[in-house]
Amino acid sequence: MQSGATLRPRRQAADRPTSFTIRNTTEITMARTKQRDWQPYGFVLPLLALEIAFVVIPLCLGFYYSLHRADYFQVTEFRGLGNYLRILESPMVLNSLWTTAVFSVFALFFTFVLGFALALHLEKDSRLNVYLRAIVLVPYVIAMLVGSLLLKWIFTQDSGLLHMVLGPLGLGQATILADPQAAMGALVFNAVWRDSAFAMILLLAGLKSIDPQLYAAARVDGAGPLMRFRTLTLPLMRIPILITTIRLLIHFVNVLTFSLILTGGGPNEATQTIGLTMYRIGFIDFRIGQASAMSILVFLFNMALIVALLRLFRTKQEAV
Amino acid sequence: MSAWKQRARARRTGEIVTAVLIAIVALFPILWGLSTSLKPADRILEYPPEFIPSTPTLEHYFFLVETGIWLPILNSLIVSAFSVGLSLVLGTLAGYALARFDFKGKGATMILIVAVMSIPLPSLTVPTFILLALIGLNDSLFGLIVLYTAYQLPITVWILYGYFRTLPRELESAAMIDGYSRLDVLRKIVVPLSGPGLIASGLFVLTFAWNDFVVAVAMVSSAENRTLPLAIYNYLGFFGREWGPLTASAMVATVPVIVIFVFFQRYFLSGMTGGSVKG
C-alpha cells in the first residue's frame, strides 16, 4: 500500500521531461531504458550464477548419476531406474524411512508445542522475557555438532552424568543410548532442545503482528483467556503456524547431525534416519548412483513441502 | 489487601521459578560441558559429580593446542571471513537490484531465493560432492567458501533487500543527478546507510560458516583442510571416551558464537524470521 502510494508521484516526476522537445526526450528515455534493461541483470548475475552452478547443476548431475551405476564416482553402466528400485527395496532404507517418520512426528510435536508455549509465555517484552528468549536461543545458535556432542556426554552409557545420577537410585542399567527406544527418545530430546527456540521465534513474530485491540475488544465482550486463545489467537495464527510446521518438518526429515553424533544411528540402526542413510551409502560405501537416487527422491519430497511453503509466504504477503 | 499482595508475590515467585527452570534446561548441557573441560582428567568421572570444579585446570585446552587445534581454527576463520565478505558484496548488488529496479524475471529470482533458503543442505551433499569432484574443488577451503556463499547468499539478499527498501530514494536520485553512477550510489550512499542490514546478514553467514558440519564433512577429507567442527568430529572418533579434550574443543567452538550472539542478539532475530531489520 504505502510503497505504491509513494511510488506513483516519483514515476510521474521521472516522466516529466516528455514535455520538452521531442528529439531530446526519446534520446533520454532510450538511454534510460537501455540502462534499465541491462543494469539489474548485471547486479543479480553473480547470485544467479552461483545458485545455478552450485544448487541447480548438482541436482541435474545427481539425476544423471542416479540413472547409472557409479561406485566411487566412476560411471560404469546405465541402470535406468534400477538404482531407485534398489533403494526402495533395501531394508536399510526402508527401516530408515520408518525411523525418520517416528523421529519427525515426535520431534515436530514436542518442538512445536514447546515453541508455542514459550512464544505465548514470553510474548510480553518485559526485561526478564527478553533475557529468557536470548537464553533459550543459545542451543540454536551454537553449532549443531557441538550441541549433540554435549548431549552425548550427558547421555553416554559408561560415564555420562545421567548414568551417574540414576545409578544409585537403582537404575544402574539406565543405558540410554544402548536401548532402541530410549535412544530415539534422546534423539527427539536433542531436536526439541535445539529447535524449540526456532519455533518460538517464528511464532512470536506471528503473535506480535496480531492487533492488541482485538484482544481488548474480546475481553470487553467477556471472553476468558482460553476463549481468546481459541477464537482469536489460533485462527489469526493459521499461516505462521503452518509456516513453522513445514519449516520444522523439512528440517527434521533431512537432519543428519543429530543422529550421526548423538547415537551414530544405533543401537542396531534404531535411530538411523534418512539423512544418515544417505550419508552412509554415499560417503562410506561410495555407491554414488544409489545415493544420488536417494537424494533425488528426498529432494522431490522436500520440493513438495517447499512449494507449499512458498504458497503460504505469498498468502502472508497478500494479507499484509 | 494483604491477600492481593500475597497473590502477586506468589505469582512473581512462580514466574521466576519457571524462568530458572527454562534457563537450566537450555543452558545446562553447555555449562556441564564447560565444567567437564576444566576438570583434571582423573576427576571427570568422579562420583558424586562436581558441578563447579574444585581444582580447575586448563590441561585439556593445552593438550588441544599441542595437538594442533590452531590449524582448524585458522581454517574456520579463513572460510568464515571469505564467505562473509563474498556474501555481503554479491548480496548487496543483488539485494539492491531487487529493491530498486523492476525487471523481467524479478519474481522468478525472488522465488529462487526463497526456495534455495528452504532446501535442507543434507539432501544436497551427495550431488554437490559429485560436482566438486568433477571440477576439482573438493577437499579445499576454496570449495567450502564457494559453497557457503552459494548457500547463504539467498538469505543475505533477502535481508538486504528488505533493508534497502526502507531507505529513502531521494538521496540516491539526488546523487545520480549530480552524476553518480548506480555503483557509486551503492558504494557511497546506500552501503554507509545500511549498517544494521549488513551486520544482520553478515552475522548470519558468519555463524553458518563457523558452525557448519554437514557440508564440510562431506566435502573435506584431508587433515590440513579441516575446519573446527570437522576437527571436533575427528576428535570424537579419535579420543573416543576422553571427554576432557572433547568438551574443551566443544567450548573452543562455542564460546565465540555465544559472545557474538550476546552482543548482536537483535540482528539474529531479524534474520531468523526472514527479513525486516529494525535499525
Side-chain angles (χ1 to χ4, degrees):
Chain A
M1 275 298 264
Q2 215 180 8
S3 68
T6 49
L7 253 175
R8 273 288 153 70
R10 206 165 288 122
R11 263 199 198 143
Q12 279 168 359
D15 291 339
R16 200 167 296 151
T18 25
S19 56
F20 293 95
T21 55
I22 293 168
R23 229 194 73 218
N24 264 349
T25 39
T26 41
E27 268 175 22
I28 289 171
T29 44
M30 268 185 62
R32 214 174 251 161
T33 44
K34 242 184 208 165
Q35 237 190 0
R36 269 203 198 132
D37 275 348
W38 65 261
Q39 209 162 22
Y41 294 110
F43 281 22
V44 179
L45 187 69
L47 165 77
L48 294 180
L50 268 176
E51 302 314 325
I52 289 172
F54 293 99
V55 178
V56 179
I57 290 183
L59 286 167
C60 299
L61 264 178
F63 181 66
Y64 174 79
Y65 273 69
S66 77
L67 301 175
H68 292 80
R69 180 181 175 143
D71 298 349
Y72 294 91
F73 302 98
Q74 296 299 314
V75 178
T76 43
E77 56 173 295
F78 182 73
R79 262 187 183 166
L81 294 178
N83 283 326
Y84 290 88
L85 292 178
R86 252 166 253 237
I87 283 295
L88 293 172
E89 280 168 0
S90 147
M92 179 168 84
V93 173
L94 293 178
N95 171 61
S96 74
L97 283 182
W98 170 244
T99 312
T100 307
V102 172
F103 167 72
S104 304
V105 167
F106 280 100
L108 180 62
F109 177 79
F110 288 111
T111 306
F112 183 85
V113 169
L114 190 61
F116 208 169
L118 284 171
L120 290 168
H121 183 71
L122 303 178
E123 190 192 347
K124 261 193 289 176
D125 287 329
S126 72
R127 183 182 281 209
L128 182 69
N129 286 356
V130 172
Y131 282 130
L132 265 183
R133 277 184 222 151
I135 287 175
V136 175
L137 263 170
V138 169
Y140 181 79
V141 295
I142 66 170
M144 229 193 265
L145 167 98
V146 167
S148 297
L149 181 85
L150 292 173
L151 289 181
K152 188 189 176 87
W153 168 222
I154 289 177
F155 289 135
T156 194
Q157 310 157 23
D158 36 37
S159 49
L161 178 71
L162 218 56
H163 184 72
M164 268 197 228
V165 175
L166 293 179
L169 302 174
L171 300 167
Q173 295 312 308
T175 47
I176 292 178
L177 296 180
D179 173 70
Q181 275 166 10
M184 179 57 89
L187 202 63
V188 171
F189 178 84
N190 189 338
V192 177
W193 177 69
R194 176 177 186 270
D195 292 312
S196 292
F198 174 68
M200 173 190 81
I201 294 299
L202 293 186
L203 293 167
L204 204 57
L207 285 177
K208 294 265 183 203
S209 65
I210 297 176
D211 186 351
Q213 285 186 342
L214 288 175
Y215 285 108
R219 205 174 287 137
V220 171
D221 289 344
L226 253 179
M227 178 87 163
R228 289 199 297 267
F229 180 72
R230 260 201 15 238
T231 56
L232 268 180
T233 314
L234 277 185
L236 288 172
M237 288 282 288
R238 201 175 66 94
I239 290 178
I241 286 174
L242 283 171
I243 290 179
T244 310
T245 311
I246 296 183
R247 287 183 73 172
L248 285 176
L249 189 60
I250 295 177
H251 166 60
F252 288 145
V253 167
N254 288 278
V255 67
L256 159 73
T257 312
F258 295 156
S259 47
L260 181 60
I261 303 299
L262 183 66
T263 63
N268 200 12
E269 297 187 9
T271 54
Q272 183 163 323
T273 51
I274 305 180
L276 188 51
T277 303
M278 209 151 63
Y279 177 79
R280 287 233 158 117
I281 298 178
F283 294 107
I284 294 176
D285 301 345
F286 288 105
R287 282 178 285 156
I288 299 301
Q290 288 184 37
S292 299
M294 214 171 154
S295 296
I296 296 296
L297 290 179
V298 172
F299 177 76
L300 290 178
F301 177 81
N302 290 332
M303 258 344 263
L305 288 176
I306 290 170
V307 168
L309 195 63
L310 285 171
R311 289 233 168 123
L312 286 169
F313 272 126
R314 196 177 299 160
T315 40
K316 188 176 127 193
Q317 274 177 345
E318 275 164 14
V320 175
Chain B
M1 189 181 127
S2 74
W4 177 82
K5 246 186 188 166
Q6 248 174 8
R7 268 221 323 265
R9 189 177 293 164
R11 210 160 130 199
R12 181 82 191 144
T13 327
E15 225 170 67
I16 289 175
V17 170
T18 333
V20 171
L21 274 178
I22 293 175
I24 288 180
V25 174
L27 297 184
F28 180 76
I30 299 165
L31 295 176
W32 179 237
L34 178 66
S35 161
T36 306
S37 76
L38 295 172
K39 287 177 186 172
D42 54 333
R43 301 197 63 177
I44 286 179
L45 300 177
E46 193 179 50
Y47 185 86
E50 256 183 357
F51 288 97
I52 297 164
S54 53
T55 49
T57 161
L58 288 177
E59 63 179 57
H60 304 304
Y61 292 89
F62 287 126
F63 176 72
L64 289 179
V65 173
E66 279 164 30
T67 51
I69 198 176
W70 51 268
L71 181 61
I73 291 179
L74 187 69
N75 285 343
S76 270
L77 285 175
I78 292 173
V79 170
S80 306
F82 278 98
S83 306
V84 170
L86 259 177
S87 302
L88 286 185
V89 172
L90 303 181
T92 301
L93 287 174
Y96 185 73
L98 290 168
R100 286 290 184 267
F101 295 98
D102 275 320
F103 57 94
K104 221 176 165 185
K106 182 170 158 175
T109 310
M110 296 298 266
I111 289 179
L112 178 79
I113 288 173
V114 180
V116 174
M117 265 160 65
S118 326
I119 296 178
L121 296 180
S123 68
L124 284 181
T125 49
V126 174
T128 307
F129 186 84
I130 300 176
L131 174 73
L132 290 202
L134 284 178
I135 59 179
L137 282 184
N138 61 318
D139 195 15
S140 73
L141 295 184
F142 180 65
L144 278 187
I145 292 169
V146 173
L147 283 187
Y148 290 168
T149 308
Y151 294 149
Q152 292 299 294
L153 198 49
I155 181 87
T156 310
V157 173
W158 188 254
I159 295 174
L160 289 175
Y161 160 77
Y163 195 83
F164 292 153
R165 289 215 310 180
T166 65
L167 297 178
R169 288 163 183 241
E170 282 76 13
L171 278 174
E172 295 166 39
S173 19
M176 284 187 11
I177 288 169
D178 288 348
Y180 275 34
S181 72
R182 274 285 177 189
L183 270 179
D184 288 336
V185 168
L186 194 52
R187 239 189 24 226
K188 293 180 186 156
I189 294 173
V190 177
V191 167
L193 286 174
S194 302
L198 291 168
I199 294 175
S201 40
L203 283 174
F204 229 73
V205 184
L206 179 68
T207 42
F208 173 85
W210 179 262
N211 283 341
D212 170 74
F213 167 66
V214 176
V215 180
V217 75
M219 307 302 156
V220 171
S221 46
S222 58
E224 73 262 22
N225 289 329
R226 274 188 200 128
T227 54
L228 187 53
L230 282 187
I232 297 175
Y233 181 60
N234 190 52
Y235 288 145
L236 186 62
F238 203 67
F239 298 137
R241 292 170 178 172
E242 285 178 52
W243 286 94
L246 270 175
T247 48
S249 66
M251 290 306 124
V252 172
T254 308
V255 170
V257 179
I258 293 183
V259 169
I260 287 178
F261 174 66
V262 167
F263 279 105
F264 296 96
Q265 210 213 108
R266 66 199 175 107
Y267 298 102
F268 273 86
L269 298 188
S270 65
M272 282 174 70
T273 49
S276 75
V277 189
K278 295 195 178 75

